[in-house]
Amino acid sequence: YMGSRAYNGFAIYSPTQDDESPRRLTLMGELRQAIDRGQFMLYHQPKIDIASGRVIGSEALIRWYHGRDGFIPPEEFVGLAERTRMIRPLTLWVLEHAFNDCAGLHRLGFDWTVSINLSARDLHDPEFPDLVAGMMARTGIQPDWVMLEITESSIMADPVRVLNVLERIHSMGFHFSIDDFGTGYSSLAYLKKLPVSELKIDKSFVMDMPRSESDGVIVRATVELGHNLGLKVTAEGVEDAESLRILRSIGCDTAQGYYFSKPRPLNEILAWQQSGLWKASRDSLSEADLR
Ligand code: C2E
Ligand code: MG
Ligand code: MG
Ligand code: MG
């Protein structure tokens, strides 16, 4: 897309060039008004316990419905929000809606964990832990129901500062997950110092597992690494029954992917959970097991 260019087969992202393009400048201005105009929506993608086939919760994923351009993908505007200091209101909007959704589900009797993506700038913001505490008080969420997803690269930029923010939030009772695990520059030495309880294997390794031996090796090794460190392991990007079967044989804990459901509004996810569609994928799980 705009602002990317191919270089030796890799897409190189160049923020400066990006921000100066007329479309970017327009979007930047419109991003500031998006909250007031009610253009953000929170979708959910179910997270499945592989051993039991049960839905244990969901990942909340933001959507921007922009009148002129339809849906703008988060990869296009989350980075923009970070560079223009719009990320704090954006993250607070997501926290408020995800906490409210999850608290509502618990009132309905669902045992549900909501996963929420944080961005690098949130983790470098010394006021962020207090903002999270305030949102917790306003929404009645229990921190135990929340998994906050962070990436390796957002930690490694300034590990000491980030660790301080993470520890303050962790001491309130929130859990952390390392998202897109395996794609960033990380240090295994830091992994044991961080208050994390889950590794989330990046979808680039999971999607092609049935066809790629090396991806299978990476996923298996990551599950082992996580378990040996006492962490739960989730695979994102599960697109077919075969991937699920492999994950089950490896002992991976939880799965997320288009095979179950793409991200959708919460009411649609709940309808899906109670529908035959959900049962079909659960049955194919046990079928795969018999093979
Ligand atoms: P992520 O946190 O790694 O989220 C997973 C992405 O993979 C989502 O894209 C999801 O729709 C997609 N996905 C899920 N299952 C499959 C599958 O089986 N196959 C394939 N090909 N893709 C799958 P989405 O919603 O477009 O989000 C992209 C990224 O934008 C997220 O990656 C996350 O880094 C960021 N993002 C999304 N929502 C938020 C948010 O509320 N706050 C922040 N800070 N970042 C967000
Ligand atoms: Mg995520
Ligand atoms: Mg991810
Ligand atoms: Mg990702």
Side-chain angles (χ1 to χ4, degrees):
Y1 64 96
M2 258 200 246
S4 309
R5 59 203 151 87
Y7 177 75
N8 282 349
F10 293 94
I12 304 297
Y13 181 65
S14 68
T16 321
Q17 196 184 323
D18 247 27
D19 286 351
E20 283 165 2
S21 80
R23 173 175 157 85
R24 292 280 153 170
L25 288 172
T26 312
L27 280 185
M28 266 189 223
E30 289 167 338
L31 191 56
R32 288 180 203 287
Q33 296 154 359
I35 293 180
D36 295 334
R37 291 178 176 169
Q39 291 177 335
F40 286 141
M41 278 180 265
L42 200 63
Y43 276 21
H44 288 260
Q45 185 181 37
K47 197 167 161 183
I48 282 87
D49 175 71
I50 295 177
S52 69
R54 285 212 175 85
V55 179
I56 56 157
S58 58
E59 176 173 8
L61 294 155
I62 194 170
R63 296 290 179 262
W64 180 11
Y65 185 75
H66 179 282
R68 189 187 63 221
D69 294 337
F71 280 99
I72 299 175
E75 257 133 11
E76 203 168 324
F77 68 84
V78 171
L80 194 63
E82 283 216 297
R83 296 192 295 281
T84 55
R85 301 181 183 278
M86 269 293 294
I87 195 68
R88 191 196 269 186
L90 188 145
T91 299
L92 288 176
W93 185 92
V94 172
L95 287 175
E96 181 185 349
H97 288 79
F99 284 7
N100 275 329
D101 284 352
C102 187
L105 286 168
H106 279 264
R107 279 193 297 271
L108 290 171
F110 289 89
D111 187 8
W112 199 275
T113 299
V114 70
S115 297
I116 301 167
N117 295 283
L118 299 182
S119 77
R121 206 181 264 264
D122 300 323
L123 306 181
H124 289 79
D125 179 355
E127 290 167 25
F128 188 63
D130 291 339
L131 296 171
V132 174
M135 199 58 81
M136 174 170 85
R138 280 197 291 284
T139 56
I141 190 88
Q142 280 182 30
D144 204 36
W145 304 337
V146 179
M147 183 73 87
L148 298 169
E149 299 192 357
I150 58 181
T151 62
E152 298 160 276
S153 23
S154 63
I155 303 160
M156 295 318 292
D158 189 347
V160 177
R161 185 166 171 181
V162 170
L163 195 56
N164 177 273
V165 170
L166 294 184
E167 262 156 8
R168 285 167 60 201
I169 298 173
H170 184 247
S171 69
M172 298 175 211
F174 290 95
H175 300 281
F176 287 102
S177 170
I178 303 199
D179 201 358
D180 304 339
F181 189 76
T183 59
Y185 298 96
S186 68
S187 144
L188 293 177
Y190 265 102
L191 200 52
K192 62 172 189 188
K193 290 191 196 160
L194 294 169
V196 295
S197 38
E198 181 192 75
L199 296 184
K200 197 160 181 182
I201 309 173
D202 190 66
K203 57 178 180 287
S204 61
F205 303 114
V206 178
M207 276 163 31
D208 293 326
M209 233 184 353
R211 291 161 299 276
S212 158
E213 204 177 309
S214 56
D215 284 346
V217 168
I218 291 171
V219 170
R220 184 183 290 271
T222 308
V223 171
E224 252 176 59
L225 170 72
H227 286 170
N228 288 336
L229 289 169
L231 310 174
K232 294 276 186 200
V233 182
T234 292
E236 62 173 24
V238 178
E239 293 189 345
D240 49 48
E242 180 61 10
S243 304
L244 183 61
R245 193 195 62 76
I246 298 170
L247 289 168
R248 191 170 223 222
S249 72
I250 289 174
C252 187
D253 302 287
T254 37
Q256 221 182 296
Y258 294 169
Y259 176 61
F260 300 104
S261 169
K262 58 181 200 203
R264 283 185 277 178
L266 183 59
N267 61 328
E268 290 181 27
I269 294 297
L270 294 179
W272 163 84
Q273 189 188 352
Q274 274 139 32
S275 75
L277 278 174
W278 159 233
K279 199 171 173 305
S281 53
R282 190 178 51 195
D283 289 348
S284 74
L285 182 74
S286 36
E287 243 176 69
D289 237 17
L290 295 169
R291 252 186 262 143

